[in-house]
Amino acid sequence: MSAITKLDFSDRTVEEAARELVRAERINGAVYINLPMLYPDGSFVTVRVDKGAYGFRVSDAGFAYREVEDIAGARSFRRIANRVAEANDVVVGERILYVGTGIENLERAICDVAATAWTIVHSVAEKAFDEDELGLSDELSTRLKRVFGDERVEDGVELVGASTTSWPVTALVKTDGAQVVFQAVSENANSINRASTAFRDLSTLGHRAPKLVAYVRSKKALGSKLALLTPARIVEEAQPNEFLERAAA
């Protein structure tokens, strides 16, 4: 029998782990705080705290603006930011989010600015990636009808899995004696997780299970997340139509 490793669950270990979740660094008189919240690119949500004559100014230092600019262009920032920030009493500047506060509400201000910045960036990212999936879906449907014929391709179908959950899929192709599900999958985590869950549920239907195909822009771009699309076959956008035929065979 192998030895059982004793876990170190001391207060010191927990405190060290907690300190790693939030980091603060003083730069040119301001304090930058990294919080345990991630933007879509994997960077931490960061707030800046400046001391003033009448209290503190807590801002996101323009990081949310730069994230949005990279995802969807600068014009998207103000439109989304105004709606989100108003609910949290956060001020929207030209390229920055900020709050003025006294010492008694400093913690609340840090949380409000961080949460607002995170929500703005993720709202823009979700919309951008949803639009990307829709574009990929339209492209896939057009290709499938060209390859298999209009009469064999049904768009926007919902199939019931073994869990009795109804799953919307991009298209269902009916071949000789078989049904093949084609699902467009973008690089967005929600798109991948939704497809992954649907594939696993549909694959457990026994003899009624359809063949499963994921249509992606790039395997390389998905990286390790590609494994989540098992048990579906994968076809890349740049591959010729014969790959669609092979996947359905």
Side-chain angles (χ1 to χ4, degrees):
M1 179 181 294
S2 60
I4 299 177
T5 302
K6 184 178 180 180
L7 296 176
D8 183 358
F9 196 66
S10 65
D11 289 342
R12 181 182 178 84
T13 301
V14 175
E15 288 173 4
E16 289 175 350
R19 281 196 296 271
E20 286 298 309
L21 291 175
V22 179
R23 294 188 178 186
E25 182 179 3
R26 183 177 294 277
I27 301 176
N28 297 328
V31 176
Y32 289 81
I33 304 172
N34 287 354
L35 296 160
M37 306 166 71
L38 296 176
Y39 287 129
D41 67 356
S43 62
F44 286 100
V45 173
T46 301
V47 299
R48 170 176 170 160
V49 181
D50 291 277
K51 182 72 167 66
Y54 303 101
F56 298 91
R57 185 176 190 264
V58 181
S59 76
D60 78 321
F63 291 121
Y65 174 87
R66 289 194 282 276
E67 292 283 334
V68 169
E69 186 178 35
D70 288 341
I71 295 170
R75 292 184 178 180
S76 301
F77 176 73
R78 286 298 292 258
R79 185 172 62 254
I80 301 296
N82 286 334
R83 174 172 53 81
V84 176
E86 183 179 1
N88 293 331
D89 293 326
V90 172
V91 180
V92 180
E94 189 64 31
R95 300 187 177 189
I96 200 169
L97 308 169
Y98 65 93
V99 167
T101 184
I103 184 65
E104 67 281 358
N105 291 318
L106 182 57
E107 292 180 9
R108 171 68 182 272
I110 291 171
C111 291
D112 285 347
V113 171
T116 301
W118 183 91
T119 301
I120 290 168
V121 175
H122 276 265
S123 295
V124 172
E126 288 297 327
K127 182 178 180 181
F129 287 125
D130 283 346
E131 289 175 352
D132 183 50
E133 183 178 310
L134 285 173
L136 198 60
S137 295
D138 290 342
E139 175 189 310
L140 174 58
S141 294
T142 299
R143 290 186 66 179
L144 290 174
K145 290 174 182 177
R146 188 182 304 130
V147 173
F148 298 101
D150 289 359
E151 69 283 354
R152 289 191 172 188
V153 179
E154 192 173 356
D155 296 326
V157 180
E158 291 196 7
L159 299 178
V160 178
S163 68
T164 71
T165 300
S166 183
W167 299 103
V169 299
T170 302
L172 182 68
V173 173
K174 298 178 181 179
T175 62
D176 295 334
Q179 291 187 326
V180 188
V181 166
F182 283 86
Q183 178 62 40
V185 184
S186 75
E187 297 164 27
N188 176 257
N190 286 344
S191 180
I192 295 168
N193 292 335
R194 186 168 57 241
S196 174
T197 306
F199 287 156
R200 294 181 187 281
D201 195 16
L202 293 171
S203 69
T204 56
L205 285 171
H207 69 279
R208 296 184 294 115
K211 294 180 180 179
L212 303 169
V213 182
Y215 185 72
V216 304
R217 294 202 184 279
S218 166
K219 291 181 182 180
K220 183 178 180 180
L222 289 176
S224 60
K225 295 177 182 178
L226 193 65
L228 296 174
L229 299 180
T230 303
R233 296 183 178 183
I234 311 295
V235 175
E236 293 180 278
E237 179 186 33
Q239 292 177 320
N241 288 338
E242 63 186 82
F243 281 80
L244 295 172
E245 295 177 300
R246 291 180 191 175

